[in-house]
Structure formats: structure tokens, C-alpha cells
Amino acid sequence: MKNKYANIAIPGGPDFLLTYEIPPRSADRVVPGVRVVVPFRNTHTVGVVVGLSDKTEVEKIRFIADCPDEKPVFSPSILRLAIWLSKYYSSSVGDALKAALPGGLGYNVERIVSISTGKDTAGLIKKGAVILELLNQKGDMREDVLKRLVGERGFYPALDELLCRDLARIRLEIKKSQRPRTSTVVSTNLDIDELQNELEQLSGNANRQAALLEYLIKNPESENRKRDISSEFGAGTVRAAIDKGWISPREIEIFRFPRDIGIGETSPRPEHLTPSQKKALVEITRAVKHYKFETFLLWGVTGSGKTEVYLKAAEKARSLGRGVILLVPEIALTPLLWGRFEQRFPGEVAVLHSGLRPGERFDAWRRLASGQLNIALGPRSAIFAPVQNPGLIIVDEEHETSYKQDEPPPYYNARDVAVMRGSIEGCPVVLGTATPSAESYYNAMNEKYRLLRLPERVPGAELPGVRIVDMTEEREEGKNFSPFSRLLSEKIIQTTTKGHRTMLLLNRRGFSSYLQCPDCGYIPTCEACGIGMTYHSSDRKLKCHYCGAEEKPPDVCPNCRSAEIKYRGHGTQRIEEELEELVPPEKIFRLDADAARRGGHAAILKKFAVTPGAVMVGTQMIAKGHDFPDVALVGVLNADIGLAFPDFRSGEHVFQLLTQVSGRAGRSEIRGEVIIQTYRPDSPAVDFSVNGDVESFFETELKAREELQYPPFSRIVRIIAHGKNPADVRTAIFILTRELARIDREGNKYRLLGPSSCPLSKLRGEYRWHLILKTQRLGMSVEIVKRLLSNAGGGKVSFKTIIDPLTLL
């Protein structure tokens, strides 16, 4: 007996699955993983079939309206992953599946109007006749397009009359923002003798047709785009050739691929692996060979050859016919790694990230799903790539905070999702890093993860020397108020003169961190977020880095009318400008979120890689994974940015950033040098980063976290209430807190911290309060929170639940 009912997840809909009856006409197509059009509330929407059943307890049940997918868009393993993700991260299954689908495959329904079988047109109102005429001329049309052509007034009464008379009908389709791109190609149907015979029979004035036949005789096996051959011989000539049967047209698909995506392999393939690389590779490939799920923490110092281990392990997976998923923390890292992987696996690598054009992502996703491509490379969303039969999952720079999804929900961490996907697929997961996250370090020390160490750099590369400059002394004793210390200025000039490269880190984009009036203290702030705005000199605007609001900077203080309003602090744009006093402008490059728009990061990295004596100024984007062998100097302009954040992870993040950026230096025969400028040289994060001493840092850090029961010794659930009215938000979060305290009076399930106003108390025009739960029983705590939030807020306040947040702002 066939299943009669489908359990369906609705993206943006309720947290639970809805049950619909399967119409007989769709019984063969409605299977888990397909999208379906279903009635929902007062309209129709798109859902995903998660499961089937032959009975239901639902009394009033509605039918599925349509099933346009001929085969599932989600594999069984991705469905399992989405269900797990929804439970673990307090999300809906629909939102989890929406995160797994690329932009070209949509979730919006459109109504298509077409001619029906009715014949009675007598007495038809004028607008109805116009609609019917358009449908006869143009064929099936979208309802919104039809309405725009005939005019909105009286449109729906006219359409209703056509539907009642069976002169027109409406079907529901899933809206496609992207479609396969095709091209018409032509090839000859005749052999050479037949073509020669056609040429001899041509009249003397058919010169273009003769030229085409001569071309076909010389190139009988060729297949040409119709557009190209029409351009050369004339469109009329090509049409005549088709009519005469000389050539036949056919449609082929043209796959879109991003241009200028890679910068080539900047490091040559090593002749030999180091002993520690060999040992790590043996362990990983053994798991690949035996289809064994295991999580490896590949912990190697910067420049130790982790990428080569990735490549060799991927070779093993591909030799067994299995696919590979490689996650990177930033879009800016895709050019280099794509170059390395494409060189080893030509024509097998798909890139997936938001910087691509929609059509490029759409084609990459479909080619992975069909098995034409076997390796997926990209940031966090690439973990959902439809790679066939995955044999290896790699998370590069696993410690990076950018693996945590911020908006929209679900608020997942791609590193942890990667571990779960490896478990589902039966394949090993490699977490690579020079500075492990506290959670991964703790899991490795407790043997939950298998630890693989790469303690030395590859032959020919030494760890750089690190020097600390106390900027307080620099200013008090040297009277130097430049962003560059005297030592760093001297080293920049020397390095550039020798033709070597320099990288300078300032983790603050823009020209100036803020604008301030010295007379009254006024600082321009974003009305929607209450945060000081950053000045960007490239387009001469003040910008909010949280909501994107922009405004023109004032010439005089709007508060006291003083003309002395000044720019305070430094951003990457201002550093770029001041650097011109030390280095020729043509040798200066900047890499931050503003400079890297629309794939610009690849062009910037290419120019930096080929410019002798180049200097790169950037935010944390330059600290991650870049492998340029001729970088002799790295300067950290202000190591203290981030230490003052109200976040228990701030020290860990600063330590990781300083250690990572230091590792960009000395990756060849040149022993690099690192200069760290700081106002807090005694900070553990700065002190331990000088020698990259991960063990000592975590010995101190984990002891403090254990005392306060912060992760990894507990799990954190952060609940944020947000809304337009501050009183409503405050009331809602206090009611929720009271209910949570009532449920767990003994404090056995969780410990409550707060509620309190968020450090970022207003964002995008909404006021924000939060509540923190520390718990050893995550699943139970999430279920309790989910149940209470289903009826909280009264429609005036919204809530978001974040599991293990990476920041408490």
C-alpha cells in the first residue's frame, strides 16, 4: 500500500512539520527531499517533503497542490542533517533546509495563467477578451506579468470570468530565479562526398552558401555555436542550410563559472613530506579507505604544510571515487585554495559562496548534485553542498568565528555541522588550524577528537622572530603619535627596498573609527543602532558597520556649530593613506570588506603576489591561511583591538588572530619578522602569542573558564528579545526569565544569568535585551526554551535563540 500522507517542512513557517494528503496524480513523485506546493494559511507556499506515512491523526487535512520536482533536491543525508540541525540549534526544519538550498532553486510560488479547453466567448467583457488574446499570442504567462500588461483595474473580475467559463486555467509553480543557460550549436548531417555534391550543384551567385559548404567540407566533425557561424556566414545562409538539411541545430547547456577566481599555486608541490605530515596522512587516509567516521584535529604551526596534507588526503578520497568538501572561513581564501586544488584536480572543483553571481552558484550546485564535479570549496554554507558520496570533509582554520552563522536563522556553527555530516556520511572530518578553538583543544585533550600534530615548518621555512613595541612608551618617550612605531616604519622601508613583501594588520576598516567635536564631545551615531559611525574616505561617507546606514559627514558640529570637528582613531583606509609617506602608492594594497566587494579580493591578491616590495594593509581577512612565500615582515598596528569586548572569548580571539597573522611571515628561505604594537604588553593574549604558545595560553584560559563554568565546561544558550518598544522588550524578557526560573527551581537543569540590556542595546531600529543560560543538559534546556518562546512576546516582541554564541554583543 502506498503512503497517503506527507510530513512537510515550511521554510519561514512553524517549528513543527505539517501533514498533507498526497493526491493520486502525484503519488509517484512525492518522495522525501522533493519540494511541493501546498496550501498554507490563506495562500500557497513551498515546502519540502521530509517523511511519508500511511496514516495520520490530523482530522482536517489538505491536499498537496503540486509537486514540480521530478527528483529530490535534497539527499537522505542532507535531510537527516537538517533535522539534527533544527533540534540542536533550536531552529525549524524548514529554515535548516532553506539554508541548504542555493539561490537559484526557490521557495516562492507563482501563478501561471494558460488557455483552457472552453469555447464559449459570447458576451465576454472587454478586459477578459484582451487577456484571452494575449494568452493566444504569447502562450502561458505569469499572473503578475499579465496583470501589468492589461492593467490592474478590473483584472481579477475578468480573470475570474475566464476561469468560470473554462476559457483559462491557473497552475502553481515554484518560482525559479535561475535557469540553465543554453546555446544552439549546429553540426553537419552529411559526409564529405555529399557536401561536395551539394557544393557542385549550387548556383554561381550563392557565394555565402558555397563558403559555408567549403567550411563544412574542411571541418566535417566540428560543432559550432549557431551565433558564431551566423556571424561569419550570415543568419540567412545558416537558416537555408538548416532547411536544406546540410546542418542540424541542437540545444546544449552552457555552464557558468566565475572568472578570475584563482591566483595559481604560489607554493610549489613539495618533493617530500615531513615525518609529521606522513604520520598525519596515514591516519586520515586509513579512515577514508575504511569509510570510517572520525574527527581529526590537525594542529600544525603556521607554515607546517597543512594544505599539502589536505591535498594528499583528497587524492586518496578521489582515487576511491568519493567526493570532498573543503570549508574555508572567508571568501577571500577561496582564490588561493581553488588554485591549489584545481591544479591537482583539474575540472573537478566547484566554488560555492555568496560573492558569485546567482547563475554561477546555481550551476555549481547542479553539477555537484549530478556528479559532474566532485569537490566543493567555500565558506560555511558549502557544508550543505550536494557532493555525491563524500569521503572526506575538511574545515580549514577551524577556530574562526566566521563559521558561525549570524543572520538569518538557523544560527549554526559550520564546524560542528561538518562533524555531524561526517558522522551521517561515514567519512572522516579534518579540523585544521595553527590555533585551535578552546572547544576543539579540549575535545582533543579528552580524546573525543584524534590529535595530529605538525610541530615544525616545512623545510626551507623558519618561524619568524617576534618583537613587541609598547606604544605607551613610544608616545610618552618618543613623542610619536603616528600609527607606525619608529621600529615598524624603519622595517617597512627596509623590506620594501629589498623587494620583499609586507603585511600590516589593523582589525578596523574605514578611514577613521569615529568623528568627534573637541568642543562639546558630539559623536555622530547611527539612529537605528545607537553606535558611533565610521568615516570612509573612499566615498566620503559615515557608515554604520551594523545596519549599513550611510550619511554625509558634517562640516561643522550639528550640536554646537564648531568647525573644529575632527577624525579620531585609525581605520585601514587611513593607514593606507598614511603609508604613502613610507612606500610608493603603486606598491600599497588594501584588503578589507569594503575593498573585497564582488570578488575583488582575488584581483587584489593577484596584484600583491606579483608586485615586488608590495605592502598589504588589511583587517583580519589577511591573517587567515594566505601563503605568500616572500612575505618578510608582518606588522600588527594595534594588538589590543578586541580585548575590551564584553565577551569571555575575547582573549582567545585576540591570541588566535595575533598568532595567525604572525604566521604569514617567513614562509620561504627568508626568515620573517613580526612587530606587534600594543598598549597592553602584559596581556596573556599578547604575551603567549609572541612564541605561539598554545598550550600555555589554554592552560591559563581553561582554568579561568572552568571556575566560571563557561564553554567547553558547559553549554550556553543565549536568548535575545528585540522589538520597537523598549518597555515591551524589557517586560517580555523578564516574564520569560520568571518562567524559566519557575521550571527549574533547584537549578539542576541550567543556571540563569540576567536578564540585562545587550551591550549592543539597539540594532537596526530595535531595542535588545538578553538572557544567558549555562547548562550541562543542552537538549532539555533547548526544548524548554522552545516551548516557552512559542507563546512569548505577544506579537510585539521577537526572540532569537543562539546556541554557543561566539560573541555576547
Side-chain angles (χ1 to χ4, degrees):
M1 180 179 176
K2 288 189 175 181
N3 294 301
K4 290 182 59 180
Y5 305 101
N7 300 317
I8 293 172
I10 307 291
D15 289 344
F16 48 86
L17 301 178
L18 298 177
T19 301
Y20 289 85
E21 189 168 349
I22 303 171
R25 69 178 185 280
S26 304
D28 293 333
R29 283 188 296 163
V30 176
V31 296
V34 298
R35 295 169 302 163
V36 290
V37 179
V38 293
F40 180 66
R41 295 174 181 155
N42 296 321
T43 184
H44 284 81
T45 190
V46 178
V48 178
V49 177
V50 175
L52 303 174
S53 60
D54 56 8
K55 57 183 179 180
T56 180
E57 296 179 0
V58 180
E59 294 182 1
K60 293 183 179 180
I61 196 160
R62 305 167 84 177
F63 277 96
I64 292 172
D66 194 17
C67 178
D69 287 334
E70 295 181 0
K71 58 184 180 179
V73 295
F74 295 108
S75 66
S77 61
I78 294 295
L79 285 177
R80 283 182 60 192
L81 187 66
I83 292 169
W84 168 84
L85 190 150
S86 69
K87 292 178 180 177
Y88 191 81
Y89 289 106
S90 188
S91 162
S92 70
V93 179
D95 283 345
L97 288 168
K98 188 175 182 180
L101 201 65
L105 295 171
Y107 279 106
N108 297 317
V109 175
E110 58 185 7
R111 290 158 59 94
I112 307 297
V113 185
S114 60
I115 294 289
S116 189
T117 57
K119 303 295 182 183
D120 179 19
T121 60
L124 198 63
I125 62 176
K126 184 177 180 181
K127 186 152 282 192
V130 172
I131 293 172
L132 208 57
E133 180 64 24
L134 278 170
L135 293 174
N136 279 312
Q137 290 177 1
K138 298 179 178 293
D140 297 0
M141 296 182 69
R142 290 200 335 248
E143 183 183 277
D144 59 330
V145 174
L146 193 58
K147 181 172 66 174
R148 188 171 66 248
L149 290 175
V150 303
E152 186 170 351
R153 186 175 180 181
F155 172 78
Y156 284 107
L159 180 60
D160 289 342
E161 183 181 4
L162 294 176
L163 296 174
C164 290
R165 292 194 186 194
D166 197 27
L167 292 168
R169 60 172 174 258
I170 290 178
R171 70 178 185 275
L172 301 171
E173 288 188 357
I174 298 175
K175 185 176 181 180
K176 296 178 181 178
S177 60
Q178 295 297 320
R179 300 176 187 274
R181 177 180 289 179
T182 60
S183 178
T184 304
V185 296
V186 295
S187 57
T188 183
N189 302 320
L190 309 178
D191 60 30
I192 294 177
D193 291 338
E194 290 172 322
L195 290 169
Q196 188 68 46
N197 185 50
E198 292 288 340
L199 179 61
E200 292 171 356
Q201 294 180 20
L202 270 181
S203 61
N205 59 355
N207 296 330
R208 285 197 166 192
Q209 292 186 29
L212 175 57
L213 282 169
E214 288 172 355
Y215 173 83
L216 294 173
I217 290 169
K218 292 178 182 178
N219 305 279
E221 303 296 326
S222 66
E223 193 171 58
N224 301 273
R225 287 201 305 175
K226 183 181 177 183
R227 184 175 63 183
D228 295 340
I229 206 165
S230 296
S231 175
E232 184 171 352
F233 299 102
T237 302
V238 173
R239 283 195 299 270
I242 293 172
D243 292 340
K244 293 179 177 181
W246 300 348
I247 56 176
S248 295
R250 69 183 182 91
E251 293 292 314
I252 62 168
E253 183 171 353
I254 304 296
F255 292 106
R256 291 156 284 197
F257 194 80
R259 299 175 183 176
D260 299 326
I261 190 172
I263 61 173
E265 182 159 1
T266 57
S267 296
R269 185 191 297 225
E271 295 182 8
H272 305 287
L273 298 179
T274 65
S276 55
Q277 283 178 311
K278 290 178 181 177
K279 184 178 178 181
L281 194 59
V282 166
E283 297 295 332
I284 297 168
T285 54
R286 182 184 293 126
V288 172
K289 182 179 178 181
H290 291 97
Y291 287 66
K292 180 184 178 184
F293 163 65
E294 192 169 2
T295 304
F296 296 97
L297 178 61
L298 183 62
W299 173 14
V301 299
T302 54
S304 58
K306 292 184 288 295
T307 303
E308 188 61 33
V309 175
Y310 300 160
L311 288 160
K312 292 287 188 183
E315 285 176 359
K316 182 63 177 179
R318 291 299 304 125
S319 71
L320 297 172
R322 306 192 71 185
V324 178
I325 299 173
L326 172 59
L327 300 187
V328 293
E330 298 275 3
I331 292 175
L333 283 180
T334 54
L336 178 62
L337 280 170
W338 182 85
R340 300 283 295 273
F341 270 77
E342 181 64 19
Q343 186 177 61
R344 302 286 180 95
F345 308 97
E348 292 190 51
V349 186
V351 176
L352 294 168
H353 62 67
S354 60
L356 303 179
R357 293 176 175 84
E360 294 165 351
R361 278 189 291 163
F362 177 64
D363 285 355
W365 191 93
R366 290 187 309 112
R367 296 182 76 190
L368 285 168
S370 67
Q372 294 179 45
L373 300 178
N374 307 104
I375 299 174
L377 166 64
R380 58 177 176 260
S381 60
I383 191 54
F384 302 110
V387 173
Q388 300 299 293
N389 189 23
L392 177 66
I393 298 174
I394 302 165
V395 183
D396 191 32
E397 311 290 0
E398 65 85 24
H399 62 279
E400 282 293 342
T401 58
S402 49
Y403 281 123
K404 183 74 172 181
Q405 170 77 358
D406 183 23
E407 290 289 350
Y411 309 111
Y412 64 91
N413 188 315
R415 176 196 64 206
D416 300 337
V417 177
V419 172
M420 178 51 63
R421 182 162 186 188
S423 174
I424 292 171
E425 302 281 8
C427 72
V429 179
V430 177
L431 309 179
T433 182
T435 53
S437 63
E439 288 80 3
S440 294
Y441 180 87
Y442 182 78
N443 284 335
M445 294 301 104
N446 288 278
E447 300 184 351
K448 183 177 179 181
Y449 293 168
R450 185 81 170 273
L451 179 61
L452 304 174
R453 290 294 309 269
L454 303 179
E456 72 282 331
R457 282 193 161 185
V458 295
E462 294 183 54
L463 286 168
V466 182
R467 299 169 70 174
I468 299 290
V469 175
D470 187 336
M471 292 301 284
T472 303
E473 293 181 1
E474 185 82 9
R475 295 196 170 192
E476 291 178 355
E477 298 176 9
K479 305 301 180 185
N480 177 19
F481 296 94
S482 162
F484 310 109
S485 63
R486 289 166 294 177
L487 175 63
L488 182 57
S489 297
E490 179 184 322
K491 292 294 182 181
I492 291 171
I493 295 170
Q494 288 178 5
T495 304
T496 303
T497 303
K498 292 178 181 178
H500 301 319
R501 292 178 180 83
T502 299
M503 299 181 88
L504 300 176
L505 170 74
L506 179 67
N507 204 21
R508 179 186 289 140
R509 61 193 175 103
F511 180 84
S512 178
S513 51
Y514 63 99
L515 199 61
Q516 186 175 36
C517 174
D519 293 342
C520 70
Y522 167 80
I523 297 175
T525 57
C526 174
E527 291 184 6
C529 302
I531 295 294
M533 303 184 81
T534 301
Y535 176 64
H536 289 246
S537 62
S538 58
D539 49 7
R540 298 179 181 178
K541 289 182 180 178
L542 289 168
K543 298 183 180 181
C544 175
H545 287 174
Y546 288 95
C547 71
E550 299 180 358
E551 62 181 56
K552 184 180 177 182
D555 295 322
V556 297
C557 174
N559 188 47
C560 71
R561 310 307 297 172
S562 169
E564 298 300 315
I565 194 162
K566 297 181 182 297
Y567 300 108
R568 307 288 186 182
H570 295 83
T572 49
Q573 291 181 15
R574 186 166 182 176
I575 295 298
E576 180 184 24
E577 186 175 291
E578 296 195 16
L579 194 58
E580 292 181 7
E581 297 179 9
L582 306 175
V583 179
E586 65 273 11
K587 293 184 180 292
I588 301 172
F589 301 91
R590 176 167 57 89
L591 184 61
D592 56 23
D594 299 310
R597 286 195 191 105
R598 192 69 180 180
H601 55 276
I604 294 168
L605 292 171
K606 274 186 178 181
K607 290 178 182 177
F608 177 69
V610 299
T611 304
V615 181
M616 174 79 79
V617 181
T619 57
Q620 60 179 349
M621 296 174 77
I622 71 169
K624 306 169 184 179
H626 297 296
D627 186 6
F628 295 103
D630 198 25
V631 173
L633 176 66
V634 167
V636 180
L637 300 183
N638 187 347
D640 310 321
I641 293 176
L643 283 176
F645 278 13
D647 186 353
F648 70 91
R649 285 192 173 93
S650 60
E652 177 189 352
H653 292 164
V654 170
F655 169 77
Q656 290 165 341
L657 182 62
L658 295 180
T659 305
Q660 288 284 336
V661 76
S662 298
R664 300 313 106 202
R667 300 173 78 95
S668 63
E669 295 81 6
I670 305 165
R671 186 168 191 262
E673 189 170 5
V674 179
I675 297 174
I676 298 177
Q677 300 181 167
T678 177
Y679 293 90
R680 299 172 62 181
D682 56 344
S683 162
V686 175
D687 186 28
F688 289 126
S689 70
V690 171
N691 298 312
D693 192 349
V694 175
E695 290 98 332
S696 297
F697 173 77
F698 277 125
E699 183 180 345
T700 302
E701 182 74 10
L702 291 179
K703 188 180 296 182
R705 293 200 194 179
E706 186 173 20
E707 290 177 3
L708 298 171
Q709 283 299 291
Y710 277 115
F713 301 98
S714 71
R715 308 300 298 277
I716 285 184
V717 180
R718 185 189 188 201
I719 307 165
I720 301 175
H722 54 98
K724 298 292 185 182
N725 187 306
D728 290 339
V729 174
R730 186 179 185 278
T731 299
I733 197 75
F734 271 92
I735 291 173
L736 176 64
T737 305
R738 187 173 64 241
E739 285 299 302
L740 285 167
R742 181 186 60 79
I743 290 171
D744 189 26
R745 288 191 178 92
E746 304 299 323
N748 295 326
K749 298 181 179 69
Y750 42 73
R751 180 186 171 198
L752 298 176
L753 299 180
S756 65
S757 178
C758 295
L760 190 58
S761 61
K762 190 180 181 186
L763 182 65
R764 300 182 185 97
E766 292 192 322
Y767 296 90
R768 307 164 79 239
W769 279 66
H770 67 168
L771 172 66
I772 308 296
L773 279 74
K774 291 182 181 177
T775 179
Q776 303 288 346
R777 305 165 76 176
L778 181 64
M780 178 185 293
S781 300
V782 168
E783 283 300 317
I784 292 171
V785 170
K786 210 169 184 177
R787 187 175 72 248
L788 291 177
L789 291 184
S790 63
N791 296 310
K796 297 179 180 180
V797 177
S798 300
F799 293 88
K800 58 191 285 188
T801 304
I802 305 175
I803 312 301
D804 291 335
L806 294 182
T807 178
L808 299 180
L809 286 177

